[in-house]
Amino acid sequence: MTRRAVALAVVVATALLSLVPTATANPGPGTQFGSVSIPSIAVNFPLFEGDSAMCDGGSSRTLNNGVSHYPCSAFPWEVGTVFIAGHRTTHVAPFRRLDKMKKGDRIKVSTRRGDYLYEVAKTKIVRPWQSFNPEVPGRLLLSTCYPAGSDAY
């Protein structure tokens, strides 16, 4: 039985440091282009470029193997908000403990273009019908289904 998520657990983090080497083309759908590391909750998973279904409320097969970047959001090396999703209870469940994150925890996004360090500013539960302003430069949003056990996305 599949249960729909009642809400999304969202972690909002702000950029601390960006080390950017030479530029390359943005990755295409399904391409692994880095990793996400969150020491406070023992996360270290590959980062894939998601597909357009993610931006329309659907899921991406790339979520089966790690975490996925929403293609309708900024990349870490671009101006804007970086939006990354991961499963909480299914597949490799990289964001199983996302709800345990606290203000001040560090998140490292490593890519071929450089390493990007973020610090958690706040966590929030967002209902699917609620909206928030995703376009804030230097911000990272991490999302997963809430409560634990929901596996629709």
Side-chain angles (χ1 to χ4, degrees):
M1 177 173 84
T2 299
R3 295 188 292 168
R4 284 219 169 275
V6 176
L8 296 175
V10 177
V11 172
V12 180
T14 54
L16 293 177
L17 175 68
S18 299
L19 302 173
V20 184
T22 59
T24 58
N26 287 344
T31 304
Q32 180 181 346
F33 70 96
S35 64
V36 174
S37 174
I38 310 170
S40 65
I41 59 171
V43 164
N44 191 4
F45 282 92
L47 174 61
F48 295 89
E49 177 60 7
D51 54 47
S52 60
M54 291 178 70
C55 298
D56 296 327
S59 189
S60 173
R61 288 186 187 163
T62 59
L63 286 166
N64 298 348
N65 302 312
V67 295
S68 292
H69 170 260
Y70 278 78
C72 50
S73 73
F75 284 97
W77 53 86
E78 296 177 331
V79 174
T81 296
V82 179
F83 199 177
I84 295 174
H87 282 299
R88 186 166 184 190
T89 57
T90 58
H91 304 289
V92 294
F95 287 168
R96 173 180 290 127
R97 300 184 65 226
L98 196 68
D99 61 324
K100 305 295 184 206
M101 294 191 73
K102 297 180 220 127
K103 185 175 182 178
D105 286 353
R106 300 284 174 97
I107 302 161
K108 182 179 178 184
V109 178
S110 298
T111 74
R112 292 185 295 261
R113 289 199 179 195
D115 294 332
Y116 304 87
L117 185 61
Y118 299 88
E119 184 174 87
V120 173
K122 66 180 176 178
T123 61
K124 185 176 184 179
I125 304 300
V126 179
R127 301 288 180 202
W129 58 86
Q130 291 177 313
S131 64
F132 53 94
N133 180 7
E135 290 304 317
V136 176
R139 184 166 76 169
L140 169 68
L141 296 177
L142 302 179
S143 72
T144 194
C145 292
Y146 180 89
S150 58
D151 61 0
Y153 303 104

